[in-house]
Amino acid sequence: MNEGMPKDPAMLMSFVNMKLRDYYPTLDAMCDDMEVDKAELEQYLAAAGFTYNPAANKFW
């Protein structure tokens, strides 16, 4: 993951959701722009119980 991203899963989920809400139309767009491995991000958050919902464009 990106060095500037929180390591705590709950904080990371909040950070990513804020970025998705305010700046990016999709998770793919965010990951491309921020140079984040999408699969790694999804796996890290899934381990904490969070999954991405593309229709809502957020993790929950």
Side-chain angles (χ1 to χ4, degrees):
M1 279 180 293
N2 190 310
E3 287 294 318
M5 298 174 90
K7 302 296 181 223
D8 176 74
M11 294 296 293
L12 178 60
M13 189 259 319
S14 179
F15 173 83
V16 168
N17 281 344
M18 182 269 304
K19 291 289 190 182
L20 291 170
R21 181 189 70 232
D22 294 347
Y23 303 105
Y24 300 102
T26 65
L27 182 60
D28 287 323
M30 187 199 82
C31 290
D32 288 344
D33 186 55
M34 296 182 69
E35 299 180 356
V36 172
D37 184 309
K38 179 183 170 188
E40 180 184 347
L41 176 64
E42 287 183 301
Q43 184 177 34
Y44 188 78
L45 289 173
F50 303 114
T51 57
Y52 179 66
N53 180 315
N57 194 34
K58 69 178 184 178
F59 282 88
W60 50 28

